[in-house]
Amino acid sequence: MGKPSLPSGLFKKILVANRGEIALRVICACKDLGIPTVAVYSEADRNSLPVRFADQAICIGPAKSARSYLDVRSIISAAELTNVDAIHPGYGFLSENAAFAEVCRDSHIKFIGPRPEVISAMGLKERARAIMKDYGVPILPGSEGILGSVEEALETAGKIGYPIILKASAGGGGRGMRIVHKPEELEANLMQAQQEAGAAFSSADVYLEKYISAPRHIEFQLLADEHGNVEILGERECSIQRRHQKLLEESPSPALRSDVRERVSAKLKEAIKAIGYSNAGTVEFLMDEKGDLYFIEVNARIQVEHPVTEAVTGIDLVKAQIRIAAGHTLPDILGGPVQFRGHAIECRINAENPETFQPSPGRITGLNLPGGIGIRVDTHAFQDGVIPPYYDSLVAKLIAHGSTRDEAIQRMKRALDLFIVEGIHTSIPLHKRILVEPDFISGNFDTNFIKRWMP
Ligand code: MV4
């Protein structure tokens, strides 16, 4: 008898538990794999493109997310009614909800993502931090585990030196953090951090780290299958952000030294294998002024900015997620060593006032999407389509690829000039300004770039 044959089949039908550009992106990957799709939509999204382009569509509730895209019972009912065998959660909404992944498992529907136990573990930031430390992934100096007392916090902070940052273990993405500059402020801040964490995340667990005041935000993309194979697909530079909302991402990072990239990638690969992680995934790091990387958190989902990695590697990450969930092996999916080509940049085009950042929902009365060599647009926007006020304000992602960073910047500027959206305000003018800033062009920036520039 030979080795048991690995599954080469795919899913019969996939339900897309999301909306907007990512729902459309998942439908496209399914079309490329020949898999029929079911769109679910709220009453506000009845006339949206995912509804038009999926093979079937089911209304799951009113506009408010809590009663539609976050309503597990509605989504599972739609899945059972349409007889799908898998659900793709996209990003946001239920994408990192371990309870939802468990309901899927109990309903015999494959959740396209990591196992529920792994989602839970990665959702606890202090646990993820401890695991990474065990496998030699660099972390910032800080508390060993959850803080048990003010005395412990004072002792740890005293040892590592101020400023320090208190983080809610169940928080993440910038929620539930407090910076403390001196010992006299520690007790009150710890009490408030624990109180707020308990209220917001139903866990009062808080840990402590050395605070880096002007870091770069760099994240590694990975793919991991259900057979222990892991590939690291390089990094993305995500420092151009405002209040934890990324505005522009690129790959490779203009600041990451190749020896640091290689060292961290190798450690990460071992850690991800040990965790039993499977899916696409992102591991976030902070870079200090010396150019060293420190782990901060794991995102167990496909991310908004995944197309920049797709551009430089040529790998369809959403297709890979689906094949991984169907039991395919990474060597089969990738078909050879990962190769990196050139440089890619993504601009997030939001429906918002470029000066005040206020949301600007409404009807798109005129639209011209750019194209041409090196340009990709991921969007659910269309002429006369409406951007509803209930969800995040992302209307399009504009991705420029070139053989060098300069060529990618030139192509991005050209595409922004040809990108016309009428009827709503967008962040296009803001992106045009960023791309001509000397500090952006030289690659000399950190997470304070926007704040410093438009206070
Ligand atoms: C930090 C930090 C400085 N020092 N941790 C914000 C998002 C969350 N993933 C972690 N965050 C931060 N953690 C230490 N020890 C600064 C931030 C931070 C930040 C990180 C990435 C991108 C943008 C940011 C904006 C403000 C603060």
Side-chain angles (χ1 to χ4, degrees), residues 423-446:
I424 58 171
H425 294 291
T426 75
S427 47
I428 291 171
L430 174 68
H431 287 299
K432 289 178 177 171
R433 289 171 56 199
I434 293 170
L435 290 171
V436 297
E437 267 304 300
D439 283 345
F440 175 76
I441 294 167
S442 68
N444 171 33
F445 53 82
D446 57 48

Short mmCIF file of all heavy atoms in Angstrom, two decimals, residues 423-446:
data_model
loop_
_atom_site.label_atom_id
_atom_site.label_comp_id
_atom_site.label_asym_id
_atom_site.label_seq_id
_atom_site.Cartn_x
_atom_site.Cartn_y
_atom_site.Cartn_z
N GLY A 423 -19.60 62.46 -7.12
CA GLY A 423 -20.79 62.28 -6.28
C GLY A 423 -20.46 62.07 -4.82
O GLY A 423 -21.27 62.34 -3.95
N ILE A 424 -19.26 61.55 -4.52
CA ILE A 424 -18.79 61.40 -3.14
C ILE A 424 -17.36 61.93 -3.07
O ILE A 424 -16.68 62.02 -4.09
CB ILE A 424 -18.82 59.92 -2.67
CG1 ILE A 424 -17.94 59.03 -3.59
CG2 ILE A 424 -20.24 59.38 -2.60
CD1 ILE A 424 -17.73 57.62 -3.06
N HIS A 425 -16.93 62.29 -1.85
CA HIS A 425 -15.52 62.65 -1.65
C HIS A 425 -14.71 61.37 -1.49
O HIS A 425 -15.21 60.38 -0.96
CB HIS A 425 -15.35 63.51 -0.40
CG HIS A 425 -16.00 64.85 -0.50
ND1 HIS A 425 -15.53 65.83 -1.33
CD2 HIS A 425 -17.10 65.36 0.11
CE1 HIS A 425 -16.31 66.90 -1.22
NE2 HIS A 425 -17.28 66.64 -0.35
N THR A 426 -13.46 61.40 -1.94
CA THR A 426 -12.58 60.24 -1.73
C THR A 426 -11.20 60.69 -1.28
O THR A 426 -10.86 61.87 -1.34
CB THR A 426 -12.39 59.38 -3.01
OG1 THR A 426 -11.51 60.07 -3.89
CG2 THR A 426 -13.72 59.07 -3.69
N SER A 427 -10.40 59.72 -0.87
CA SER A 427 -9.04 59.99 -0.42
C SER A 427 -8.04 60.11 -1.58
O SER A 427 -6.84 60.21 -1.33
CB SER A 427 -8.60 58.90 0.57
OG SER A 427 -8.92 57.62 0.06
N ILE A 428 -8.52 60.13 -2.83
CA ILE A 428 -7.60 60.25 -3.98
C ILE A 428 -6.69 61.49 -3.87
O ILE A 428 -5.47 61.36 -4.04
CB ILE A 428 -8.38 60.22 -5.32
CG1 ILE A 428 -8.96 58.82 -5.56
CG2 ILE A 428 -7.48 60.63 -6.50
CD1 ILE A 428 -9.92 58.71 -6.74
N PRO A 429 -7.22 62.68 -3.54
CA PRO A 429 -6.33 63.85 -3.43
C PRO A 429 -5.25 63.68 -2.35
O PRO A 429 -4.12 64.13 -2.52
CB PRO A 429 -7.28 65.00 -3.07
CG PRO A 429 -8.63 64.54 -3.52
CD PRO A 429 -8.63 63.06 -3.35
N LEU A 430 -5.60 63.02 -1.25
CA LEU A 430 -4.64 62.77 -0.18
C LEU A 430 -3.49 61.88 -0.68
O LEU A 430 -2.31 62.15 -0.43
CB LEU A 430 -5.35 62.11 1.00
CG LEU A 430 -4.48 61.63 2.17
CD1 LEU A 430 -3.88 62.81 2.91
CD2 LEU A 430 -5.29 60.76 3.12
N HIS A 431 -3.83 60.83 -1.42
CA HIS A 431 -2.80 59.93 -1.95
C HIS A 431 -1.87 60.65 -2.92
O HIS A 431 -0.66 60.42 -2.91
CB HIS A 431 -3.45 58.72 -2.61
CG HIS A 431 -4.03 57.76 -1.63
ND1 HIS A 431 -3.26 57.13 -0.68
CD2 HIS A 431 -5.31 57.35 -1.41
CE1 HIS A 431 -4.04 56.36 0.07
NE2 HIS A 431 -5.28 56.48 -0.35
N LYS A 432 -2.45 61.55 -3.74
CA LYS A 432 -1.60 62.32 -4.68
C LYS A 432 -0.58 63.15 -3.91
O LYS A 432 0.57 63.29 -4.34
CB LYS A 432 -2.47 63.23 -5.55
CG LYS A 432 -3.31 62.47 -6.58
CD LYS A 432 -4.18 63.44 -7.38
CE LYS A 432 -4.97 62.72 -8.46
NZ LYS A 432 -5.98 63.60 -9.09
N ARG A 433 -0.98 63.68 -2.75
CA ARG A 433 -0.05 64.49 -1.94
C ARG A 433 1.00 63.63 -1.27
O ARG A 433 2.17 64.02 -1.19
CB ARG A 433 -0.84 65.29 -0.90
CG ARG A 433 -1.68 66.43 -1.51
CD ARG A 433 -2.60 67.06 -0.50
NE ARG A 433 -1.89 67.56 0.68
CZ ARG A 433 -2.46 67.82 1.85
NH1 ARG A 433 -3.76 67.63 2.00
NH2 ARG A 433 -1.74 68.27 2.84
N ILE A 434 0.60 62.47 -0.76
CA ILE A 434 1.58 61.59 -0.10
C ILE A 434 2.69 61.20 -1.08
O ILE A 434 3.87 61.22 -0.74
CB ILE A 434 0.88 60.31 0.45
CG1 ILE A 434 -0.08 60.66 1.59
CG2 ILE A 434 1.92 59.27 0.91
CD1 ILE A 434 -0.99 59.51 2.05
N LEU A 435 2.29 60.89 -2.32
CA LEU A 435 3.25 60.34 -3.30
C LEU A 435 4.32 61.34 -3.75
O LEU A 435 5.31 60.94 -4.35
CB LEU A 435 2.50 59.79 -4.52
CG LEU A 435 1.70 58.51 -4.25
CD1 LEU A 435 0.83 58.16 -5.43
CD2 LEU A 435 2.61 57.34 -3.90
N VAL A 436 4.10 62.64 -3.47
CA VAL A 436 5.13 63.63 -3.83
C VAL A 436 5.90 64.16 -2.61
O VAL A 436 6.77 65.02 -2.74
CB VAL A 436 4.53 64.83 -4.64
CG1 VAL A 436 3.98 64.32 -5.97
CG2 VAL A 436 3.45 65.56 -3.86
N GLU A 437 5.59 63.63 -1.42
CA GLU A 437 6.32 64.04 -0.22
C GLU A 437 7.76 63.50 -0.25
O GLU A 437 7.95 62.29 -0.41
CB GLU A 437 5.64 63.46 1.03
CG GLU A 437 4.63 64.35 1.69
CD GLU A 437 5.18 65.70 2.09
OE1 GLU A 437 6.12 65.74 2.89
OE2 GLU A 437 4.65 66.71 1.58
N PRO A 438 8.75 64.35 -0.04
CA PRO A 438 10.14 63.88 -0.06
C PRO A 438 10.40 62.70 0.89
O PRO A 438 11.11 61.76 0.53
CB PRO A 438 10.94 65.12 0.34
CG PRO A 438 10.08 66.27 -0.09
CD PRO A 438 8.66 65.82 0.06
N ASP A 439 9.82 62.75 2.12
CA ASP A 439 10.06 61.67 3.06
C ASP A 439 9.40 60.36 2.63
O ASP A 439 9.87 59.27 2.98
CB ASP A 439 9.57 62.04 4.47
CG ASP A 439 10.55 62.98 5.17
OD1 ASP A 439 11.70 63.10 4.71
OD2 ASP A 439 10.14 63.59 6.18
N PHE A 440 8.30 60.46 1.88
CA PHE A 440 7.73 59.23 1.34
C PHE A 440 8.62 58.68 0.22
O PHE A 440 8.95 57.49 0.20
CB PHE A 440 6.29 59.41 0.82
CG PHE A 440 5.79 58.15 0.17
CD1 PHE A 440 5.38 57.07 0.96
CD2 PHE A 440 5.80 58.00 -1.21
CE1 PHE A 440 4.98 55.87 0.37
CE2 PHE A 440 5.41 56.79 -1.80
CZ PHE A 440 5.00 55.73 -1.01
N ILE A 441 9.01 59.58 -0.68
CA ILE A 441 9.82 59.16 -1.83
C ILE A 441 11.14 58.54 -1.38
O ILE A 441 11.59 57.53 -1.93
CB ILE A 441 10.06 60.36 -2.79
CG1 ILE A 441 8.72 60.80 -3.40
CG2 ILE A 441 11.05 60.00 -3.89
CD1 ILE A 441 8.76 62.14 -4.11
N SER A 442 11.75 59.11 -0.32
CA SER A 442 13.03 58.57 0.16
C SER A 442 12.85 57.32 1.01
O SER A 442 13.83 56.65 1.34
CB SER A 442 13.77 59.64 0.95
OG SER A 442 13.06 59.90 2.16
N GLY A 443 11.62 57.02 1.39
CA GLY A 443 11.37 55.85 2.24
C GLY A 443 11.65 56.13 3.71
O GLY A 443 11.69 55.21 4.53
N ASN A 444 11.82 57.39 4.04
CA ASN A 444 12.17 57.80 5.40
C ASN A 444 10.91 58.22 6.17
O ASN A 444 10.57 59.39 6.24
CB ASN A 444 13.18 58.97 5.30
CG ASN A 444 13.44 59.62 6.64
OD1 ASN A 444 13.43 58.95 7.68
ND2 ASN A 444 13.65 60.92 6.63
N PHE A 445 10.17 57.23 6.69
CA PHE A 445 8.93 57.55 7.42
C PHE A 445 8.66 56.47 8.47
O PHE A 445 9.26 55.40 8.44
CB PHE A 445 7.74 57.69 6.46
CG PHE A 445 7.55 56.50 5.54
CD1 PHE A 445 6.88 55.37 5.97
CD2 PHE A 445 8.04 56.51 4.24
CE1 PHE A 445 6.70 54.27 5.14
CE2 PHE A 445 7.86 55.41 3.39
CZ PHE A 445 7.19 54.29 3.85
N ASP A 446 7.76 56.80 9.42
CA ASP A 446 7.32 55.83 10.42
C ASP A 446 5.81 56.01 10.60
O ASP A 446 5.17 56.72 9.80
CB ASP A 446 8.10 56.01 11.73
CG ASP A 446 7.98 57.43 12.28
OD1 ASP A 446 6.85 57.95 12.35
OD2 ASP A 446 9.02 58.04 12.63
#
